[in-house]
Amino acid sequence: MSTSDHTCSTIKSRLRQFKFREVLSEDISSKTIWILGSICNKNDTSDVVPGENAAVLTLERLAFNEEKMTECGKHGLNNQTTSAFETIKLDSGEQNDVYSWATGFIDSSTLGPDVRVSLIFPATQKHIDKHRRQQRKLITETSDLYSSAVKPFIDAQPASRIQWVYNILTKKVEADRIVFEDPDPENGFIILPDLKWDVTNSASMYLVAIVHRKDVKSLRDLTDVHLPLLKNIRNKAKIAAQKYHVSQDKLRLYIHYQPSYYHLHVHITNVDLEGRGIAADRAHLLDTIISNIEDISADYYQRVTLAYALGSDTELWSHLQSQS
């Protein structure tokens, strides 16, 4: 059994035991919903316990596959005379002059998978809070606030929270998904598809470069010492993107602050991809980062004030509130 088949088998087994608790949140723009539940025996009536039986299930509608659509449109289903569009089942609709519209269903066997299923199990309270709908608060982080409150919070995070990152870097997992690697311990990194991407539609290409060195946790740590690393990522990203037929002038490279995990990584996406991840209160373009360090000040990110949004239920927001 291949790794992919084994993963699908494991997810199917867990979904059969999944007990719905609540919808945590949804994103209409990305057609994604996050659901909290527990994974346990059918007769188990125990409540959701973070870190034990809790699970966060993500269901995301996938974009249409242009290549598959073209194939079905030109040659029919499995090269038969039946058109892919004949199989669409409609249930309600309206018409106004030359315009008509309806809702309906497309058989997934026609145009390929139509949903991406992700599962976090066992899910910790942090996992649950991350995906729960919550109010967003804007933080204006001065260098003093970073030094006195934010940096101690980051330094206190247990290494176990990013063990999954180390597993990727040491190739214990996901080794077959790596599309580029520079093994240099100081300026090297691994590039692989982000889990949010289905690896089929180049228009929504989403890669991530994870650096090998472990001493850079966030944007705040970057100085002129790290310019060779940052430029190396910028230069080599185009090699990884070529695998998906995305040219260099279609690449958007950026770093999040605050990041979702404290180990330096660079997001590499198709510039056509839109979403919350590129919002001005979170994303910092790699070209701009390099220029700020190179042209303005080597310690630019230790001195500058950075503004970002936080969820009101996040650990960092609670920590900052306790310090005020």
Side-chain angles (χ1 to χ4, degrees):
M1 179 182 293
S2 68
T3 301
S4 176
D5 290 341
H6 177 71
T7 299
C8 288
S9 177
T10 300
I11 293 176
K12 286 180 181 178
S13 174
R14 288 174 175 171
L15 288 179
R16 283 193 290 268
Q17 296 178 296
F18 185 84
K19 291 186 177 181
F20 175 89
R21 170 65 180 274
E22 65 176 292
V23 172
L24 293 172
S25 62
E26 64 174 332
D27 184 340
I28 297 176
S29 62
S30 66
K31 299 178 176 61
T32 304
I33 190 166
W34 291 270
I35 303 168
L36 174 64
S38 59
I39 293 180
C40 52
N41 295 327
K42 185 174 296 186
N43 298 324
D44 192 335
T45 59
S46 59
D47 201 0
V48 173
V49 181
E52 295 184 18
N53 66 355
V56 174
L57 174 65
T58 305
L59 302 177
E60 175 190 2
R61 288 288 188 183
L62 297 179
F64 286 106
N65 186 312
E66 182 178 345
E67 183 178 339
K68 184 72 173 177
M69 178 71 78
T70 301
E71 178 186 342
C72 290
K74 287 183 175 181
H75 308 293
L77 300 179
N78 300 318
N79 293 318
Q80 302 299 316
T81 56
T82 304
S83 165
F85 311 110
E86 292 179 53
T87 65
I88 299 177
K89 299 177 181 179
L90 303 180
D91 59 4
S92 63
E94 296 183 37
Q95 183 167 357
N96 182 351
D97 192 33
V98 297
Y99 306 101
S100 55
W101 58 93
T103 57
F105 306 88
I106 298 179
D107 185 350
S108 62
S109 64
T110 303
L111 296 174
D114 59 2
V115 67
R116 178 182 177 85
V117 180
S118 303
L119 190 66
I120 302 175
F121 174 74
T124 65
Q125 190 61 52
K126 182 170 183 176
H127 291 133
I128 297 170
D129 291 341
K130 176 182 177 180
H131 294 97
R132 188 185 296 279
R133 184 184 294 108
Q134 52 189 295
Q135 292 185 357
R136 289 165 62 79
K137 307 290 187 178
L138 191 69
I139 306 297
T140 302
E141 183 186 284
T142 64
S143 59
D144 287 342
L145 179 60
Y146 172 74
S147 299
S148 64
V150 179
K151 187 176 187 301
F153 171 84
I154 294 174
D155 291 341
Q157 300 303 299
S160 59
R161 287 192 173 177
I162 56 172
Q163 182 57 49
W164 64 273
V165 175
Y166 300 149
N167 291 343
I168 292 174
L169 293 174
T170 57
K171 301 186 178 69
K172 290 182 178 178
V173 297
E174 301 189 53
D176 57 334
R177 301 180 68 244
I178 296 172
V179 295
F180 181 87
E181 180 180 13
D182 182 332
D184 185 88
E186 295 296 317
N187 300 317
F189 51 89
I190 279 175
I191 297 180
L192 72 167
D194 190 277
L195 292 176
K196 291 184 284 294
W197 183 39
D198 60 12
V199 200
T200 59
N201 191 339
S202 62
S204 59
M205 187 200 74
Y206 198 140
L207 308 176
V208 62
I210 304 176
V211 305
H212 281 299
R213 57 189 302 165
K214 299 180 179 179
D215 60 337
V216 187
K217 297 181 179 180
S218 78
L219 180 65
R220 282 289 193 186
D221 293 324
L222 295 175
T223 68
D224 57 336
V225 171
H226 306 106
L227 286 174
L229 168 62
L230 300 178
K231 291 181 178 180
N232 194 25
I233 294 174
R234 182 174 64 182
N235 293 336
K236 301 296 176 51
K238 60 185 178 183
I239 298 176
Q242 285 173 355
K243 179 175 180 180
Y244 306 104
H245 310 292
V246 178
S247 59
Q248 184 175 4
D249 59 358
K250 297 287 288 183
L251 295 183
R252 178 197 289 123
L253 281 71
Y254 56 93
I255 292 175
H256 281 154
Y257 192 79
Q258 290 285 327
S260 55
Y261 55 94
Y262 294 108
H263 180 103
L264 187 68
H265 55 286
V266 178
H267 302 263
I268 306 167
T269 69
N270 190 317
V271 73
D272 292 330
L273 180 65
E274 301 294 337
R276 185 181 295 177
I278 59 172
D281 58 13
R282 193 179 186 196
H284 299 258
L285 293 174
L286 184 60
D287 281 332
T288 303
I289 294 171
I290 292 173
S291 178
N292 287 338
I293 295 173
E294 197 166 43
D295 302 328
I296 299 179
S297 175
D299 61 348
Y300 179 90
Y301 286 101
Q302 289 74 59
R303 297 165 52 190
V304 71
T305 294
L306 296 173
Y308 52 85
L310 285 179
S312 58
D313 291 334
T314 60
E315 286 183 308
L316 180 54
W317 170 257
S318 298
H319 174 73
L320 292 175
Q321 291 300 104
S322 69
Q323 300 296 304
S324 61

